[in-house]
């Protein structure tokens, strides 16, 4: 009996040891199977990668997944306080400030958020290069000095390769050589005109390019029937290196007027301009702009208050003026920057001036500002501007204002 119990106990211990060996063996088999499957999958993946790479070297198909869409814009609030010469607008309107002989409004506050803007850029690779689409708008509308809240198209165009069609900034003007201002209008002596156009760009080399455009739109002359029959021709040549930028601008278009007896008069309007920007140091730069224009009031800021030409039912007399602007920009640190700007429009005494004594003979603007960026993408700005207007009849008007800005860029 005793021997039987000992034998049973020994057999039980042998069975337990055998079971443990079986379990360990099964674990080793499972591990080997898992490693084998993993190696097979890796080999398959590498084969797929090699196959894809081989395909990309010979033929890279374009799919909708490669289209890139970028939304951008800013939320902006502007305020302007006029000490004198108020035009009841957030925008600087030196060309129409009240004259000294009028009962002008002073100490006037205007605010607006209609200057906020939104935009979208769409880029799709094609076999002919990138197909680019841009749509940008603000809320200034077509009327109201502080904006009426309705959408106003700023840019709306498509481009492919060197060609562009749609509305965007004219080659005759640009913002590359303009100082940064708090005022929404921009610096006197510069331009921001955006016209519908067909434009061709020729890249000469890494430093040079040429833009030529045919632009729609008519000269603004509310007193005359007629209008251009042909598009305007504009161009810009640009030379740029890391420290220096120079741009040459040109413009030609037809002015046409029709008399009460259906007699027609035409004259060629033209303009030429020079814009430069020079980097003095990492934190300092200067800009200079000069234009001479005859028979046009569209392109330069502050020129729309004068007619482009005068028509006496027999002859057409072109308005002719020079514009000049000088600016200095300084970056004080990562959060503070400022600029100084002085500009002027000077009209030529001519038959045009003799027939328009109440229109502007000379405009000047001088401004100084400070931008503070407390956090990334947020700008707070303050600016003081002094302006003066003088007519051909020797009447004057003065502008003195403070502009404030709050803007969040996204």
């Amino acid at each position: 009996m005793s021997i039987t119990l000992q034998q049973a106990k020994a057999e039980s211990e042998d069975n337990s040891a055998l079971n443990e060996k079986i379990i360990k063996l099964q674990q080793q088999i499972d591990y080997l199977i898992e490693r084998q499957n993993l190696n097979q999958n890796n080999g398959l993946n590498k084969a797929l990668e090699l196959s894809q790479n081989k395909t990309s070297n010979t033929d890279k198909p374009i799919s909708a997944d490669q289209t890139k869409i970028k939304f951008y814009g800013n939320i902006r609030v502007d305020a302007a306080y006029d000490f004198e010469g108020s035009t009841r607008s957030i925008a600087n309107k030196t060309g129409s400030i009240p004259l000294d002989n009028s009962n002008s409004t002073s100490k006037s506050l205007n605010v607006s958020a209609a200057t906020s803007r939104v935009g979208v850029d769409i880029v799709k690779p094609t076999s002919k290069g990138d197909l680019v689409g841009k749509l940008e708008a603000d809320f200034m509308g077509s009327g109201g000095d502080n904006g009426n809240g309705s959408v106003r198209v700023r840019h709306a165009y498509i481009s492919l390769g060197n060609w562009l069609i749609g509305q965007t900034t004219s080659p005759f003007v640009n913002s590359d050589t303009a100082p940064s201002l708090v005022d929404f209008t921009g610096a006197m002596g510069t331009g921001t005109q955006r016209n519908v156009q067909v434009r061709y760009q020729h890249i000469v080399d890494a430093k040079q390019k040429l833009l030529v455009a045919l632009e729609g739109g008519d000269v603004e002359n509310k007193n005359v029937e007629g209008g251009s029959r042909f598009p305007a021709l504009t161009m810009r040549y640009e030379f740029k290196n890391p420290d220096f930028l120079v741009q040459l601008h040109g413009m030609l278009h037809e002015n046409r007027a029709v008399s009460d007896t259906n007699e027609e008069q035409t004259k060629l309007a033209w303009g030429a301009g020079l814009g430069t920007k020079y980097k003095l140091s990492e934190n300092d730069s200067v800009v200079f702009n000069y234009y001479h224009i005859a028979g046009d009031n569209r392109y330069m800021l502050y020129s729309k208050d004068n007619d482009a030409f005068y028509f006496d039912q027999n002859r057409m007399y072109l308005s002719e003026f020079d514009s000049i602007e000088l600016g200095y920009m300084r970056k004080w640190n990562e959060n503070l920057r400022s600029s100084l700007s002085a500009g002027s429009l000077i009209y030529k005494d001519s038959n045009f001036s003799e027939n328009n004594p109440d229109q502007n003979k000379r405009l000047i603007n001088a401004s100084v500002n400070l931008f503070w960026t407390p956090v990334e993408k947020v700008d707070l700005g303050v600016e003081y501007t002094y302006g003066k207007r003088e007519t051909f009849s020797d009447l004057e008007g003065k502008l003195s204002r403070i502009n404030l800005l709050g803007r969040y860029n996204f």
Side-chain angles (χ1 to χ4, degrees):
M1 185 69 170
S2 175
I3 293 173
T4 302
L5 290 174
Q6 289 178 354
Q7 290 176 345
K9 184 177 179 180
E11 290 177 358
S12 176
E13 290 177 352
D14 292 340
N15 289 336
S16 297
L18 180 62
N19 288 335
E20 289 179 2
K21 291 180 179 180
I22 292 173
I23 291 173
K24 289 181 179 179
L25 181 61
Q26 184 63 48
Q27 289 176 346
Q28 291 177 351
I29 292 172
D30 291 341
Y31 173 75
L32 292 174
I33 292 174
E34 183 179 352
R35 288 296 303 271
Q36 184 178 7
N37 291 335
L38 182 62
N39 290 334
Q40 288 177 348
N41 289 333
N42 287 338
L44 179 60
N45 290 336
K46 289 181 179 179
L48 288 173
E49 289 178 3
L50 290 173
S51 176
Q52 290 172 353
N53 291 337
K54 183 177 180 181
T55 302
S56 64
N57 289 334
T58 57
D59 184 20
K60 187 175 182 180
I62 303 299
S63 69
D65 295 336
Q66 292 176 283
T67 300
K68 297 180 181 179
I69 301 177
K70 177 185 176 182
F71 293 96
Y72 68 93
N74 60 58
I75 300 170
R76 174 172 176 150
V77 178
D78 285 274
Y81 187 86
D82 290 306
F83 298 99
E84 60 177 321
S86 175
T87 55
R88 299 180 181 181
S89 173
I90 57 165
N92 183 340
K93 302 180 73 174
T94 302
S96 58
I97 55 178
L99 299 170
D100 290 340
N101 65 344
S102 64
N103 296 319
S104 61
T105 301
S106 60
K107 297 179 174 61
S108 174
L109 174 66
N110 288 274
V111 296
S112 178
T115 52
S116 301
R117 70 183 65 169
V118 292
V120 58
D121 289 328
I122 305 172
V123 180
K124 177 178 174 58
T126 74
S127 60
K128 303 295 184 181
D130 285 346
L131 176 63
V132 178
K134 186 181 189 70
L135 180 62
E136 180 182 301
D138 61 23
F139 304 92
M140 290 297 287
S142 58
D145 291 330
N146 295 326
N148 58 15
S150 60
V151 174
R152 178 184 68 167
V153 175
R154 294 171 56 85
H155 301 274
Y157 66 79
I158 57 174
S159 67
L160 179 63
N162 293 323
W163 290 94
L164 177 147
I165 181 169
Q167 178 172 304
T168 191
T169 305
S170 168
F172 188 58
V173 295
N174 72 94
S175 59
D176 299 331
T177 59
S180 299
L181 297 190
V182 172
D183 191 289
F184 180 72
T185 308
M188 183 177 290
T190 64
T192 59
Q193 181 69 16
R194 297 177 291 271
N195 289 336
V196 176
Q197 60 193 265
V198 176
R199 191 182 78 191
Y200 178 76
Q201 175 180 263
H202 173 63
I203 305 297
V204 179
D205 55 34
K207 296 181 179 180
Q208 301 178 85
K209 66 180 179 180
L210 178 68
L211 283 71
V212 180
L214 294 176
E215 303 181 4
D218 196 12
V219 172
E220 298 179 10
N221 192 328
K222 56 184 177 295
N223 301 316
V224 177
E225 295 294 332
S228 303
R229 296 169 296 179
F230 309 106
L233 173 65
T234 62
M235 60 79 64
R236 180 170 84 226
Y237 164 79
E238 177 179 302
F239 174 86
K240 183 178 183 180
N241 64 32
D243 296 324
F244 183 61
L245 168 66
V246 60
Q247 296 178 334
L248 302 177
H249 308 270
M251 175 271 295
L252 292 171
H253 70 75
E254 178 196 55
N255 282 337
R256 183 175 67 136
V258 179
S259 70
D260 296 337
T261 58
N262 209 32
E263 295 292 330
E264 183 179 287
Q265 288 284 334
T266 61
K267 273 199 173 182
L268 187 66
W270 64 276
L274 166 69
T276 63
K277 182 177 182 179
Y278 182 66
K279 192 174 181 180
L280 300 172
S281 68
E282 287 297 320
N283 298 318
D284 301 89
S285 59
V286 293
V287 293
F288 173 78
N289 295 274
Y290 170 78
Y291 282 85
H292 182 86
I293 296 176
D296 184 275
N297 62 357
R298 291 181 298 173
Y299 289 96
M300 304 308 297
L301 295 171
Y302 306 92
S303 67
K304 287 183 171 60
D305 295 287
N306 277 28
D307 290 329
F309 59 88
Y310 174 75
F311 181 57
D312 65 1
Q313 301 294 315
N314 294 306
R315 292 188 61 187
M316 178 185 293
Y317 304 101
L318 298 183
S319 169
E320 194 167 353
F321 68 93
D322 294 290
S323 77
I324 188 169
E325 188 273 336
L326 180 64
Y328 166 72
M329 291 171 286
R330 166 74 176 176
K331 182 179 179 181
W332 302 99
N333 54 46
E334 292 300 320
N335 305 106
L336 291 174
R337 67 187 191 278
S338 59
S339 65
L340 298 169
S341 177
S344 181
L345 267 63
I346 304 169
Y347 287 83
K348 181 180 179 181
D349 282 312
S350 62
N351 289 324
F352 174 86
S353 60
E354 291 176 0
N355 291 282
N356 294 277
D358 296 329
Q359 294 200 19
N360 297 319
K361 178 181 180 180
R362 184 180 294 108
L363 303 174
I364 64 170
N365 260 180
S367 62
V368 57
N369 62 39
L370 180 67
F371 287 92
W372 178 42
T373 305
V375 296
E376 187 179 5
K377 297 185 180 299
V378 173
D379 292 318
L380 302 176
V382 58
E383 180 174 270
Y384 174 77
T385 300
Y386 171 81
K388 186 177 180 181
R389 169 193 179 198
E390 180 184 344
T391 68
F392 287 115
S393 57
D394 295 326
L395 295 175
E396 294 184 353
K398 295 182 178 64
L399 173 78
S400 177
R401 62 162 30 195
I402 290 285
N403 280 82
L404 300 174
L405 165 71
R407 179 176 59 202
Y408 169 58
N409 301 297
F410 60 86

